[in-house]
Amino acid sequence: MRVEDIYIRGTSVRLPGVASVADAVAQGACPPKVASSTGMVSVAYSPDESAAEMAAAAARTAVERAGCAPEDIDLLLHADTYHQGQDLWPVASYIQREALGNTCPALEIRQMSNGGLAAIDLATAYLSAGHGSCEALLTTADRFCEPGIDRWRTDPGTPYADGATALVLSRRGGFGRLLSLALLADPDLEPLHRGDEPFTRAPFGHRIPVDFDEAKRAFIGRVGMSYAITRAHNGQQTVIKQALADAGMELADARWVILPHFGRRRLQSIYYQPFGIDPDRTTWDWSRTVGHLGAGDQFASLDHLVVSGRARPGDRCVLISVGAGYSWGCAVLEITGQPAWAA
């Protein structure tokens, strides 16, 4: 989908603390094999701040950077994957209360690690259809803590991190112009993160912490590794090709390729090698110190490039995402200016 007159006006990241991978290995929390295969240095860590609180903090900063008043925000979308701090509770409404205090629709998106780009897609459609005249506030947040998640072992190829991000989409202009966006789903791969276990009546009814490897082994045992890898690659390739075609460019034309904050081996097999992506064109040097933020990797890396001054006017950024379910996303953004709050 080619996008017209939608801009990114403000971004923000909330990362409360840092946990060293070397320390985690020394303490027996992180298996040495995970440390060596992923190449991660550290992960963002929240000792006590909930996902919802981090999201509200990121939202306030993004709105301030965007120069928005609460009444300018016509839609709030919050993407997450795990427990937000309370049970049976509308987390998007909490973020709205804490960061805006207005009366616009506030909704939660749970499409796993593809939630950030799904939120961009929905907000773009909302604003383009005339439902709102100004801005949409998009947030993501997760705190991957025990007992439900073991950040080192639940998904061994990707150490999980705690943190929140926020992004303001606008029809009034901004530092980046959204050029194109593509999303795709393949529910035939949905069992990859479910496995063969029966449905339960309460959370963590099978095992605690969650074990994605067990689910993947069950699914691959039925369909074969080649089937799963081919379907996954085809889905990601489809959205990348579509978004690039709609933007009138090739992947080689992009100054920056923003990838999920996966471990090095997983990035190599899914992105670097199949798509010919040089790690120097990514945020790997930074993301390996942050870890996987669930739905927030793309927003976080974009914020890093802008705040650090590495992304300059004229640069084109390709944002790529994948989430269990299975779904994929790709967006193309052109940096049009350097905001005052950037370096």
Side-chain angles (χ1 to χ4, degrees):
M1 174 181 70
R2 184 168 180 83
V3 179
E4 300 287 347
D5 302 322
I6 296 293
Y7 300 85
I8 296 181
R9 195 173 179 89
T11 59
S12 177
V13 177
R14 170 64 177 161
L15 306 175
V18 176
S20 161
V21 172
D23 289 347
V25 171
Q27 295 162 6
C30 175
K33 182 172 66 174
V34 170
S36 61
S37 66
T38 63
M40 303 297 285
V41 175
S42 57
V43 297
Y45 165 67
S46 173
D48 50 25
E49 196 172 346
S50 71
E53 291 169 306
M54 290 187 285
R60 286 190 291 267
T61 300
V63 170
E64 180 182 358
R65 287 176 171 179
C68 297
E71 57 268 23
D72 295 330
I73 304 296
D74 297 301
L75 176 70
L76 188 156
L77 297 177
H78 176 66
D80 56 62
T81 68
Y82 185 57
H83 182 65
Q84 296 292 289
Q86 297 286 345
D87 300 317
L88 293 176
W89 172 66
V91 59
S93 296
Y94 169 84
I95 298 166
Q96 180 180 30
R97 179 180 180 273
E98 292 293 314
L100 299 175
N102 67 2
T103 58
C104 74
L107 308 170
E108 182 179 5
I109 296 173
R110 183 160 286 204
Q111 197 52 40
M112 305 303 285
S113 300
N114 197 32
L117 287 197
I120 290 182
D121 182 68
L122 293 172
T124 295
Y126 189 92
L127 294 175
S128 298
H131 294 301
S133 58
C134 292
E135 276 88 38
L137 172 62
L138 315 180
T139 60
T140 77
D142 273 299
R143 183 184 180 213
F144 294 111
C145 56
E146 296 179 345
I149 297 289
D150 182 330
R151 72 176 71 250
W152 311 110
R153 292 179 169 86
T154 284
D155 192 2
T158 301
Y160 283 18
D162 307 337
T165 72
L167 182 150
V168 176
L169 277 186
S170 177
R171 293 176 59 87
R172 298 188 298 165
F175 67 83
R177 181 165 63 99
L178 190 61
L179 301 179
S180 65
L181 183 64
L183 292 179
L184 179 72
D186 183 357
D188 282 351
L189 294 179
E190 174 271 325
L192 259 174
H193 285 75
R194 175 171 54 85
D196 291 332
E197 302 282 6
F199 290 96
T200 63
R201 299 179 59 164
F204 310 111
H206 297 308
R207 62 184 61 85
I208 190 167
V210 173
D211 184 352
F212 284 152
D213 259 9
E214 179 66 27
K216 292 175 183 177
R217 283 193 294 269
F219 180 70
I220 290 171
R222 292 199 312 275
V223 304
M225 181 70 77
S226 178
Y227 173 88
I229 291 176
T230 300
R231 294 292 287 257
H233 173 73
N234 288 346
Q236 191 73 88
Q237 183 180 52
T238 297
V239 295
I240 291 174
K241 283 186 173 181
Q242 185 64 59
L244 291 172
D246 290 342
M249 59 180 285
E250 300 292 335
L251 190 58
D253 299 329
R255 173 63 184 91
W256 299 103
V257 182
I258 295 177
L259 299 173
H261 294 182
F262 294 162
R264 180 171 52 205
R265 180 176 294 178
R266 190 167 284 181
L267 287 171
Q268 178 69 29
S269 63
I270 299 176
Y271 296 109
Y272 296 163
Q273 186 173 1
F275 295 103
I277 298 171
D278 185 338
D280 288 342
R281 296 168 61 208
T282 75
T283 59
W284 165 247
D285 58 339
W286 179 74
S287 68
R288 71 193 297 242
T289 70
V290 175
H292 182 43
L293 295 167
D297 291 348
Q298 293 72 30
F299 293 3
S301 280
L302 176 62
D303 178 86
H304 169 70
L305 290 175
V306 173
V307 170
S308 66
R310 297 173 70 186
R312 298 183 175 275
D315 287 356
R316 288 197 172 187
C317 306
V318 177
L319 285 65
I320 298 173
S321 67
V322 58
Y326 238 67
S327 68
W328 302 266
C330 184
V332 178
L333 170 73
E334 182 177 12
I335 303 298
T336 56
Q338 195 165 18
W341 40 267

